[in-house]
């Protein structure tokens, strides 16, 4: 809401600087969005009076005016507008003036005739009005007066954000009340004294409220002989400062009073109402209405409307209908001031996708008492500004008046909650300053009546908040609470997850963080197994790309890898720890699990002047997966996987005991292409929840060797199909207790070893805790290994 | 014998001094001090020396041995250092050539900040608690005093999975799940992914939040202020100013927003802080009686405070990241900067 400072001053005296005011409002909870100095960009523009208009000697479309701006002589100004006549007063920019947009006025010649300034249209001095021609000012404007002063452009506008609990702040009076309480000033609410004339309202029209639950109060007044026309400048200026466009005196008054009191009003063209009566009812399903914003809308049967005898004329609390709109021909108006149920207005507003000044106030809760004041205030203003006659009497359908709540606050509770001891007198003074009525108070507590505008106050904590606000949060002391022992540990794996994350970073991987969304197409492109295609579906996704909750992190990581390679990143090494989701039949909530996913692509070792780059291959990913398993103290076995995500012959399922912990491999070419990638990508995904169930115990001490190791190489030739891993396994089993480690240091296939054969070179390391080994010891062990390999694989010594 | 030994010493010292390489020095050692060397050879004649002279001759031979040994050692050291210097000179590197850097992984910015925040609050006795990303409307809204028609729901554009089940819009539901499990004291932090139907340069449909909750018999607003000021000073530095101003949240009463002095201009006003000098950092307040009612806590007996902060926003402020979308783009050229 935009708060004009000069308008605000009508209700409360503000004698602090704008900066101090803004700070104080902030500390009251009135959040300042912006502070705008109106007219800042309008300099050297004055009220001028046209004293002569003559044709331009060389141009048809330009006239030469003499305009008096209060100087010694009138200024000669060439002008292309047509709507002015001699004697008119217009905004006149003199030489040296600046206008919005940085536009500067200089002395210049127009077709040979000197022009000493410019007469301005409304939009040229920053007003919202977009009418053609010069802005013709009122006749009593003072020639030579700064236009900003004349038009009220020298105002400051504070734009505030009103929190949803404080409907009462969405009004000038509401804000003024808060500031009056804060500064100890008087709140001035304009007095209303109506002069009623003519036939009593109930003899002319009637109001039937069919749904008193959604419309607890409905008030109306009738105004005759209305002269619809433009509003006076002061009213236009206030509305413009508030960010609204003046329309006509009737609409402007309802808007003005809405901004002033927070009470939405609606004016119907009474003559247009069928049978000239009002029915407050629910709409029928698909009942049509043309709303004031020019839309043809269809209502549903849970929406409240203000109808005449036949059709809806207004969506209750949201927007009026075009059929009974007040316009130039209007002579009689029915002025509505009501209280509609907040939830009902909110639902209708959302249902229609239609938010208005009115709906925003009603859905937060209007003030049922203010309805009466606002109605009379508007009636009086229309009487004054549109020379209308107010029919006698008022319609007030208010079958069950709201009963104000009563709240008791023991003073000690304030101390207990805030941690500051505020004297009972001060607590009471604050509460009373905000308009709460003191019903009773004694040494220990106060009991107050809550004004109906304060829908947010219903309990002791709410009163404490009021006290805290007005006392000022800055004045509440600061203390550091002592540490407290909770009886339960809520996230026992938190530290281990963190340690694991850091472990992966220490391996050179960068942490990725993808949205938890997915979609069918992505899962299909990634060729994940069928079980992954059953996903949790969102009812209202942001777009088709985020239609589901992800069942796997793999598609995201393939996408990340592909994109980064395409960006030109030479080495892609990433991981993500995060949730995956699956629908769950029985349970209220879907299943959620945590996975760790890994991606490798591009170079594993970057090019360096000392060596060339090495591309990632399967064994980089395999080693990484093994490191992950080792981190959790488990040893996995690889099995050929059948996932189509990965390319045949480079894919593996990781089995630990009976459990398949995860899958990894080289992304199949077709899948990579579907992610716009034509380079090798390796991806893995493991079940983090399962890994976290594995708690490696404290590592136990092993003797540090005192005698030197003895290494032997053994190259054997076997059939190509023999898995090298099996040779390692058998060598380890047969090498005896002196064998400490066995590794493969070379694999060779070629003519020298024969077709269908390969040479595998093993490196065997022997060591004893008791003595230095002799050649005889190691030879004996090597012979045993060779014998076993010969027996099992017909291995030949190379 | 005395003359023999003295002559030998002189000869040996000359030979050693003339040795041009380590091999010649080694040969001289063998020749003079070896088992079959010249000194041993001369001492074979010790039996012929009179018993009175023998000790003196023995002593002299030791002096000669020592002198030759010393000359050998010093010549060897001298020659070694020349050889070392020659080899080392030939091994000189180009200091300006790039070194081999071990490859470095990077923790995601969101988790760097999350861990830091958790550590600060862990020091005050808070422990981490977690809850599901897909939540019931009850935990996400109703139990937190935000019933279906509450206007506060307008600011939470919610993803629905089905009626009654939503993607959590904040991590506040974790506080209710925690309070249902234990009686006070409770001091927890709930970090995690949260979701809202909102996507532009400053909104991501998924982002990260940390919710904090402290409940006991004597927790006050002053404690809330102190705790959060401590947090800000730890995270942003002691010079950072902190301001609490009234706000509205359905699940706290009184409610506040905490601002910190602008991280760019320090409070003088700039574009980031819209010239106010302040940046909104988090929302907080004293736990609402309705929330306690849902948790089964007695409001007469217990009080508590809660706060919720956007981790992404804190991370972006700290590292001057212009758009939240960088955080979830997974562009390594971004991630590996931090
Ligand atoms: Zn700033």
């Amino acid at each position: 809401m935009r708060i004009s400072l000069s308008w605000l001053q009508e209700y409360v005296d503000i004698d602090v600087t704008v900066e101090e005011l803004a700070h104080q409002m902030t500390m009251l909870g009135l959040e300042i969005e912006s502070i705008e100095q109106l007219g800042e960009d309008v300099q050297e523009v004055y009220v001028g009076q046209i004293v002569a208009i003559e044709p331009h000697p060389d141009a048809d479309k330009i006239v030469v005016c003499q305009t008096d701006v209060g100087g010694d002589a009138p200024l000669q100004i060439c002008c292309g507008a047509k709507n002015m006549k001699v004697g008119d007063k217009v905004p006149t920019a003199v030489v040296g003036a600046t206008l919005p947009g940085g536009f500067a006025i200089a002395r210049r010649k127009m077709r040979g005739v000197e022009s000493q300034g410019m007469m301005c249209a409304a939009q040229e001095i920053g007003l919202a009005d977009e009418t053609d021609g010069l802005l013709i000012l009122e006749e009593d404007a003072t020639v030579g007066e700064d236009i900003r002063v004349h038009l009220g452009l020298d105002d400051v506008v504070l734009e505030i954000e009103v929190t949803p609990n404080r409907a009462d702040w969405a009004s000038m009076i509401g804000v003024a009340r808060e500031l009056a309480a804060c500064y100890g000033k008087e709140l001035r609410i304009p007095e209303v004294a109506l002069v009623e004339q003519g036939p009593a309202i109930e003899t002319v029209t009637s109001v039937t409220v069919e749904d008193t639950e959604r419309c607890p109060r409905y008030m109306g007044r009738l105004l005759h002989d209305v002269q619809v026309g433009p509003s006076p400048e002061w009213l236009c200026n206030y509305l413009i400062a508030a960010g609204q466009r003046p329309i006509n005196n009737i609409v402007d008054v309802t808007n003005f009073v809405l901004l002033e009191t927070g009470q939405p009003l609606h004016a119907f063209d009474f003559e247009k109402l069928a049978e000239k009566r009002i029915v407050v009812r629910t709409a029928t399903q698909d009942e049509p209405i043309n709303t004031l914003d020019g839309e043809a809308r269809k209502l549903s049967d849970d929406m409240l409307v203000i109808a005449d005898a036949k059709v809806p004329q207004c969506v209750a609390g949201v927007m009026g209908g075009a059929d009974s709109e007040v316009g130039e021909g209007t002579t009689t108006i029915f002025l509505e001031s009501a209280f509609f149920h907040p939830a009902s207005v909110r639902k209708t507003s959302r249902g229609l996708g239609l938010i208005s000044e009115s709906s925003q106030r009603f859905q937060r809760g209007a003030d049922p008492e203010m309805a009466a004041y606002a109605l009379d205030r508007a009636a009086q203003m229309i009487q004054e500004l549109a020379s209308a006659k107010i029919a006698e009497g008022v319609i007030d359908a208010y079958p069950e008046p709201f009963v104000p709540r009563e709240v008791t606050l023991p003073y000690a509770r304030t101390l207990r909650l805030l941690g500051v001891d505020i004297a009972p007198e001060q607590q009471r003074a604050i509460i009373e300053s905000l308009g709460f009525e003191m019903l009773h108070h004694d040494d220990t507590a106060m009991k107050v009546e809550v004004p109906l505008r304060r829908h947010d106050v219903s309990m002791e904590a709410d009163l404490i908040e009021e006290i805290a606000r007005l006392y000022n949060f800055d004045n509440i002391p600061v203390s550091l609470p002592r540490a407290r022992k909770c009886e339960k540990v809520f996230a026992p794996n938190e530290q281990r997850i963190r340690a694991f994350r850091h472990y992966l970073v220490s391996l050179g991987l960068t942490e990725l963080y993808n949205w938890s969304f997915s979609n069918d197409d992505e899962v299909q492109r990634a060729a994940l197994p069928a079980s992954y295609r059953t996903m949790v579906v969102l009812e209202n996704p942001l777009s088709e790309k985020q239609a589901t909750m992800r069942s796997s992190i793999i598609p995201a990581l393939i996408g990340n890898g592909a994109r980064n390679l395409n960006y030109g990143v030479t080495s892609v090494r990433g991981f993500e720890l995060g949730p995956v989701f699956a629908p769950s039949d029985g349970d209220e909530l879907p299943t959620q699990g945590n996975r760790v996913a890994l991606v490798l692509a591009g170079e594993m070792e970057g090019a360096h002047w000392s060596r060339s780059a090495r591309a990632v291959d399967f064994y980089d990913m395999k080693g990484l997966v093994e490191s992950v398993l080792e981190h959790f103290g488990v040893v996995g076995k690889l099995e050929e996987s059948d996932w189509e995500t990965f390319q045949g012959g480079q894919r593996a399922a990781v089995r630990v005991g009976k459990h398949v912990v995860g899958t990894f491999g080289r992304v199949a070419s077709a899948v990579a292409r579907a992610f716009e990638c034509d380079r090798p990508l390796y991806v893995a995904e493991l079940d983090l929840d399962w890994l976290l169930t594995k708690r490696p115990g404290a590592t136990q001490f092993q003797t540090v060797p005192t005698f030197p190791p003895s290494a032997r190489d053994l190259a054997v030739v076997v059939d190509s199909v023999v898995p090298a891993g099996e040779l390692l396994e058998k060598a380890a089993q047969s090498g005896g207790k002196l064998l400490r480690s066995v590794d493969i240091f070379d694999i060779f296939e070629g003519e020298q070893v024969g077709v269908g054969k390969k040479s595998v070179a093993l490196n065997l390391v022997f060591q004893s805790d008791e003595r230095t080994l002799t050649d005889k010891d190691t030879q004996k062990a090597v012979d045993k290994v060779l014998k076993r390999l010969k027996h099992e694989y017909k291995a030949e010594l190379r | 014998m005395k003359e023999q030994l003295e002559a030998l010493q002189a000869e040996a010292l000359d030979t050693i001094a003339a040795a041009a390489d380590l091999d010649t020095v080694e040969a001289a050692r063998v020749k003079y001090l070896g088992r079959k060397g010249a000194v041993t050879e001369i001492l074979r004649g010790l039996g012929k020396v009179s018993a009175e002279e023998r000790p003196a001759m023995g002593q002299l031979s030791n002096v000669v041995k020592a002198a030759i040994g010393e000359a050998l050692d010093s010549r060897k050291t001298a020659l070694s250092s020349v050889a070392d210097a020659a080899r080392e000179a030939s091994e000189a590197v180009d200091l300006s050539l790039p070194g081999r850097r071990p490859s470095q992984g990077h923790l995601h910015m969101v988790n760097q900040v999350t861990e830091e925040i958790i550590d600060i609050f862990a020091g005050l006795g808070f422990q981490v608690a977690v809850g599901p990303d897909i939540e019931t409307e009850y935990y996400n809204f109703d139990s937190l005093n935000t019933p279906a028609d509450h206007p506060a729901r307008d600011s939470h554009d919610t993803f629905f999975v089905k009626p009654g089940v939503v993607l959590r819009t904040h991590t506040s539901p974790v506080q209710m799940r925690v309070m249902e499990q234990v009686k006070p004291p409770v001091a927890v932090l709930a970090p995690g992914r949260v979701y809202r139907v909102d996507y532009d340069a400053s909104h991501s449909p998924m982002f990260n939040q940390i919710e904090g909750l402290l409940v006991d018999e004597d927790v006050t607003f002053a404690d809330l202020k102190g705790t959060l000021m401590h947090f800000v000073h730890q995270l942003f530095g002691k010079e950072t100013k902190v301001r609490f101003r009234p706000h509205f949240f359905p699940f706290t009463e009184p409610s506040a927003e905490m601002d910190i002095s602008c991280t760019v201009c320090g409070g003088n006003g700039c574009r980031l802080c819209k010239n106010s000098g302040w940046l909104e950092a988090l929302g907080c307040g004293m736990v609402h009686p309705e929330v306690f009612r849902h948790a089964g806590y007695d409001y007469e007996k217990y009080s508590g405070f809660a706060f919720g902060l956007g981790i992404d926003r804190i991370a972006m402020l700290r590292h001057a990241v212009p758009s939240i979308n960088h955080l979830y783009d997974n562009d390594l050229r971004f991630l590996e900067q931090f």
Side-chain angles (χ1 to χ4, degrees):
Chain A
M1 176 162 177
R2 289 168 62 88
I3 305 289
S4 147
L5 192 52
S6 52
W7 188 357
L8 186 65
Q9 301 259 25
E10 306 240 352
Y11 313 102
V12 62
D13 291 331
I14 304 291
D15 45 21
V16 296
T17 64
V18 172
E19 288 69 30
E20 278 173 50
L21 178 67
H23 172 73
Q24 193 54 252
M25 286 170 75
T26 302
M27 294 312 292
L28 285 168
L30 288 155
E31 193 176 339
I32 307 286
E33 291 275 289
S34 66
I35 301 174
E36 201 179 316
Q37 176 73 55
L38 294 187
E40 210 169 20
D41 43 8
V42 177
Q43 300 282 342
E44 305 273 328
V45 181
Y46 302 96
V47 175
Q49 185 168 29
I50 302 170
V51 295
I53 304 179
E54 311 219 327
H56 188 288
D58 285 329
D60 306 343
K61 293 185 175 167
I62 301 175
V63 291
V64 181
C65 302
Q66 301 296 326
T67 304
D68 175 14
V69 292
D72 298 339
L75 302 174
Q76 175 170 300
I77 297 174
C78 295
C79 182
K82 297 204 164 50
N83 65 326
M84 68 288 192
K85 57 181 191 302
V86 171
D88 277 350
K89 291 177 179 169
V90 295
T92 306
V94 304
V95 170
T98 55
L99 298 175
F103 190 42
I105 303 299
R107 188 184 300 271
R108 62 179 187 137
K109 282 192 170 167
M110 287 175 84
R111 293 253 178 150
V113 176
E114 185 171 90
S115 184
Q116 300 168 312
M118 184 175 105
M119 296 185 289
C120 306
Q123 65 268 31
E124 284 166 334
I125 50 172
L127 299 182
D129 199 346
E130 281 168 30
T131 48
D132 287 335
L134 302 182
L135 174 64
I136 310 296
L137 304 169
E138 289 179 350
E139 284 169 22
D140 59 0
T142 310
V143 171
E145 188 177 23
D146 191 317
I147 197 72
R148 293 175 300 179
V149 177
H150 178 72
L151 290 178
L153 285 180
D154 56 341
D155 200 357
V156 174
V157 173
L158 299 136
E159 180 152 22
I160 59 166
E161 164 114 16
V162 177
T163 51
N165 59 324
R166 292 301 300 265
D168 64 309
W169 274 346
S171 69
M172 299 302 294
I173 290 178
V175 171
R177 178 182 292 113
E178 200 75 20
L179 291 169
C182 165
Y183 288 120
K185 303 267 187 191
E186 182 203 355
L187 175 68
R188 291 188 298 268
I189 296 179
E191 277 186 29
V192 176
L194 293 184
V195 180
E196 297 175 337
Q197 298 168 282
I201 186 167
E202 56 273 17
T203 65
V204 182
T205 186
S206 71
V207 169
T208 313
V209 180
E210 290 182 359
D211 189 338
T212 53
E213 196 171 314
R214 281 191 275 185
C215 176
R217 186 174 202 183
Y218 193 93
M219 304 186 72
R221 276 191 180 275
L222 209 54
L223 292 102
H224 299 284
D225 300 340
V226 173
Q227 310 264 316
V228 179
S231 297
E233 258 170 27
W234 68 265
L235 179 53
C236 293
N237 292 343
Y238 277 167
L239 290 177
I240 289 166
Q244 294 203 354
R245 251 188 86 176
I247 295 167
N248 61 48
N249 49 7
I250 310 303
V251 176
D252 293 350
V253 165
T254 58
N255 285 336
F256 175 87
V257 175
L258 171 141
L259 293 169
E260 180 180 61
T261 64
Q263 171 64 38
L265 301 171
H266 186 67
F268 297 90
D269 184 335
F270 187 63
E271 305 295 335
K272 304 252 175 79
L273 299 178
E275 297 180 18
K276 300 195 174 152
R277 62 191 182 92
I278 296 280
V279 182
V280 183
R281 62 166 169 88
T282 44
T284 55
Q285 189 62 34
D286 294 330
E287 197 169 8
I289 185 170
N290 296 316
T291 42
L292 282 173
D293 56 358
E295 296 284 322
R297 298 175 186 273
K298 283 216 159 96
L299 304 169
S300 59
D301 59 7
D302 57 353
M303 295 175 177
L304 193 70
V305 294
I306 314 303
D308 57 20
K310 291 181 177 148
V311 294
Q313 294 291 353
C314 178
V315 184
V318 181
M319 191 172 278
D323 294 350
S324 55
E325 182 178 3
V326 172
E328 274 175 38
T330 304
T331 54
T332 308
I333 59 172
F334 179 84
L335 197 56
E336 160 198 300
S337 182
F339 181 91
F340 299 112
H341 198 278
S344 159
V345 172
R346 181 171 186 269
K347 205 169 168 196
T348 304
S349 165
R350 292 211 124 194
L352 293 175
L354 182 56
I355 296 167
S356 63
E357 293 278 339
S358 166
S359 72
Q360 281 180 325
R361 284 171 175 82
F362 278 127
Q363 72 179 33
R364 289 171 175 191
D367 177 0
E369 279 177 345
M370 192 56 99
Y373 172 82
L375 180 62
D376 288 354
R377 168 84 166 142
Q380 186 178 32
M381 285 181 70
I382 292 171
Q383 185 180 40
E384 283 166 12
L385 301 178
S387 24
K389 295 192 181 78
I390 304 169
E392 228 168 72
V394 59
I395 286 172
D396 189 0
Y398 194 21
E400 279 179 70
F402 288 96
V403 179
R405 284 183 293 268
E406 292 175 3
V407 180
T408 301
L409 172 65
Y411 308 120
R413 300 289 290 175
T414 306
L415 168 62
R416 199 192 81 108
L417 201 62
L418 299 182
V420 59
D421 200 358
I422 303 172
E425 306 78 61
Q426 196 179 353
Q427 294 192 32
R428 287 200 303 271
I430 287 172
I431 293 298
E432 282 186 296
S433 74
L434 291 166
F436 290 73
E437 195 185 328
M438 191 62 58
L439 297 174
H440 173 80
H441 68 88
D442 56 28
D443 291 349
T444 57
M446 67 171 109
K447 184 179 182 185
V448 298
E449 183 181 290
V450 181
L452 288 176
R453 61 176 175 275
R454 297 300 305 270
H455 300 274
D456 60 316
V457 178
S458 62
M459 52 180 78
E460 135 194 325
D462 301 324
L463 290 183
I464 296 174
E465 177 170 63
E466 295 307 290
I467 292 166
R469 274 193 317 115
L470 273 290
Y471 185 74
N472 197 330
F473 283 6
D474 278 348
N475 294 329
I476 296 174
V478 173
S479 59
L480 206 54
R482 62 192 159 77
R484 288 161 164 90
K485 192 100 200 107
C486 181
E487 62 189 51
K488 190 172 154 72
V489 175
F490 289 101
N493 282 325
E494 197 52 33
Q495 280 304 323
R496 299 183 62 215
I497 292 171
R498 185 195 284 210
F500 178 47
R501 189 183 278 134
H502 284 258
Y503 173 67
L504 292 173
V505 167
S506 78
L507 298 180
L509 304 184
T510 290
E511 187 179 20
L512 305 170
Y513 214 116
N514 287 281
W515 287 348
S516 319
F517 307 111
S518 184
N519 61 73
D520 290 332
D521 172 61
E522 183 183 68
V523 172
Q524 291 200 11
R525 276 188 292 140
L528 292 178
S531 62
Y532 285 82
R533 299 187 189 178
T534 314
M535 290 184 280
V536 176
V537 179
L538 296 178
E539 278 188 345
N540 56 334
L542 198 62
S543 82
E544 277 308 304
K545 280 187 167 180
Q546 295 96 29
T548 65
M549 298 303 282
R550 68 184 182 187
S551 55
S552 163
I553 310 177
I554 285 179
L557 258 56
I558 294 176
N560 296 159
R563 279 224 318 284
N564 277 289
L565 288 176
N566 292 339
Y567 291 150
V569 174
T570 53
S571 175
V572 175
R573 277 177 277 204
F575 75 95
E576 177 166 346
L577 307 187
V580 294
F581 308 86
S584 159
D585 288 338
D587 302 324
E588 189 173 23
L589 293 178
T591 318
Q592 178 171 344
N594 290 296
R595 301 271 174 82
V596 49
L598 310 163
V599 57
L600 294 177
E603 295 170 353
M604 198 58 195
E605 282 162 15
H608 186 257
W609 55 266
S610 65
R611 57 153 199 245
S612 52
R614 183 175 71 73
V616 168
D617 68 18
F618 181 86
Y619 298 103
D620 289 312
M621 184 54 93
K622 180 183 172 183
L624 193 54
V625 168
E626 286 171 339
S627 296
V628 167
L629 295 177
E630 189 182 86
H631 179 84
F632 289 98
V634 295
V635 178
K637 228 174 131 55
L638 299 194
E639 294 170 356
E640 175 74 21
S641 157
D642 58 1
W643 282 35
E644 286 169 17
T645 307
F646 304 113
Q647 123 179 6
Q650 289 206 37
R651 58 192 180 191
V654 184
R655 178 181 289 282
V656 179
K658 286 182 180 166
H659 193 81
V660 173
V661 186
T663 310
F664 71 92
R666 174 168 170 178
V667 175
S669 306
V671 171
R673 266 198 302 278
F675 284 84
E676 284 159 21
C677 182
D678 56 2
R679 294 166 61 187
L681 274 168
Y682 296 86
V683 174
E685 185 170 75
L686 302 169
D687 183 345
L688 181 60
D689 290 326
W690 186 86
L691 290 170
L692 286 165
T693 62
K694 301 292 146 196
R695 289 184 168 272
T699 308
Q700 299 298 301
F701 171 80
Q702 292 189 330
T703 314
V704 178
T706 37
F707 298 96
S710 172
R712 295 286 299 267
D713 291 345
L714 175 65
V716 293
V717 176
V718 293
D719 288 345
S720 293
V721 294
V722 173
E726 287 191 21
L727 296 179
L728 279 178
E729 222 172 274
K730 297 297 188 255
Q733 287 168 9
S734 56
K737 63 179 173 40
L738 296 177
L739 181 66
R740 284 295 149 92
S741 71
V742 54
D743 204 353
I744 293 172
F745 70 93
D746 190 37
I747 298 274
F748 177 74
E749 276 178 280
E751 276 176 32
Q752 296 95 319
V753 294
V755 177
K757 298 280 184 184
K758 67 180 169 189
S759 155
V760 179
L762 302 173
N763 179 258
L764 303 146
V765 179
F766 301 94
Q767 198 165 30
S768 162
D769 292 335
E770 282 120 35
R771 61 198 167 85
T772 301
L773 295 178
T774 63
D775 285 354
K776 228 169 106 189
D777 297 322
T778 51
Q779 188 56 49
K780 221 166 110 189
V782 170
D783 287 346
K784 268 200 254 168
V785 171
L786 185 59
K787 195 175 155 199
R788 180 73 179 271
L789 297 183
K790 272 182 175 165
H791 175 71
E792 297 257 357
Y793 305 106
K794 301 195 179 70
E796 292 298 331
L797 189 63
R798 190 171 169 226
Chain B
M1 181 171 274
K2 185 177 175 224
E3 292 75 23
Q4 269 181 307
L5 282 168
E6 281 167 352
L8 185 69
Q9 178 176 349
E11 179 201 320
L13 293 184
D14 285 349
T15 310
I16 291 164
D21 54 44
L22 289 170
D23 288 346
T24 316
V25 175
E26 199 45 41
R29 183 187 302 279
V30 174
K31 183 178 173 191
Y32 299 108
L33 299 182
R35 268 192 292 153
K36 292 173 182 169
V39 175
T40 313
E41 209 52 39
I42 292 170
L43 288 178
R44 286 225 174 106
L46 204 61
K48 295 171 189 161
V49 176
S50 67
E52 300 85 72
E53 274 182 315
R54 218 175 275 161
M57 281 309 114
Q59 214 172 4
L60 179 65
S61 74
N62 283 339
V63 169
V64 169
K65 267 199 256 182
I68 295 173
E70 206 172 289
L72 283 167
D73 287 349
S74 83
R75 187 64 190 153
K76 193 176 164 186
T77 305
L79 287 173
S80 297
S81 72
V82 170
D84 287 351
R87 185 177 44 76
E88 285 168 4
S90 76
E91 286 171 359
V93 299
D94 178 351
L95 293 180
S96 66
L97 267 177
R100 284 183 206 95
R101 296 279 296 271
S103 59
Q104 175 67 55
H106 299 259
L107 204 57
H108 194 273
M109 181 191 287
V110 163
N111 276 325
Q112 291 183 29
V113 174
T114 305
E115 288 183 1
E116 215 171 312
I117 295 173
I118 289 173
D119 290 346
I120 293 169
F121 283 102
L124 297 174
F126 286 74
Q127 61 159 314
V128 170
V130 291
D133 291 30
I134 305 180
E135 258 296 5
T136 62
E137 240 181 305
Y138 173 78
Y139 282 113
N140 196 74
F141 287 123
D142 299 68
S143 70
L144 299 172
N145 194 31
T146 320
D149 58 354
H150 199 287
R153 282 211 186 184
D154 291 347
S155 60
H156 288 219
D157 281 321
T158 311
F159 285 109
F160 278 85
V161 169
K162 60 182 183 192
V165 177
V166 301
L167 301 192
R168 64 179 177 193
T169 57
H170 45 187
T171 55
S172 314
V174 178
Q175 61 167 269
M176 184 54 62
R177 288 180 174 274
V178 162
M179 285 191 285
E180 281 180 354
Q181 292 176 56
V182 290
K183 285 284 153 210
V186 167
V188 290
L189 277 183
R193 297 174 177 227
V194 300
Y195 307 84
R196 290 187 199 174
V197 190
D198 210 348
Y199 186 29
D200 57 36
S202 48
H203 297 92
S204 166
M206 189 205 85
F207 54 104
N208 282 271
Q209 255 194 1
I210 282 193
E211 170 89 7
L213 174 74
L214 176 70
V215 182
D216 204 348
E217 290 183 2
D218 54 358
V219 178
T220 67
F221 194 89
D223 292 335
L224 167 65
K225 280 181 75 175
T227 302
L228 293 176
M229 281 170 93
H230 170 79
F231 158 68
V232 168
H233 289 155
Q234 293 283 309
L235 195 68
F236 288 100
K238 280 256 181 273
E239 66 288 349
T240 310
K241 289 196 281 292
V242 180
R243 168 174 96 173
F244 293 83
R245 58 183 163 73
H247 199 69
F248 167 72
F249 301 106
F251 32 89
T252 47
E253 187 80 14
S255 301
E257 267 189 342
M258 186 184 80
D259 297 336
I260 58 172
S261 49
C262 180
T263 51
V264 169
C265 64
N268 298 325
C270 69
R271 235 178 59 192
L272 179 67
C273 59
K274 288 197 248 159
N275 274 318
S276 70
W278 295 100
L279 296 173
E280 195 180 306
L282 58 80
C284 56
M286 304 304 292
V287 181
H288 197 283
E290 273 299 296
V291 174
F292 273 176
R293 193 177 64 79
H294 283 284
Y297 284 11
D298 181 1
Y299 187 69
E300 293 297 314
K301 186 171 175 196
Y302 298 113
S303 57
F305 66 71
F307 57 88
L309 67 101
I311 300 167
D312 312 62
R313 186 174 155 72
I314 303 277
M316 287 165 66
L317 284 178
R318 271 240 302 214
H319 300 287
V321 178
S323 163
I324 189 169
N325 294 309
H326 282 297
L327 269 54
Y328 305 108
D329 257 356
N330 295 296
D331 185 336
L332 290 169
R333 296 168 302 175
F334 169 80
L335 296 173
E336 292 178 352
Q337 290 175 22
F338 304 97

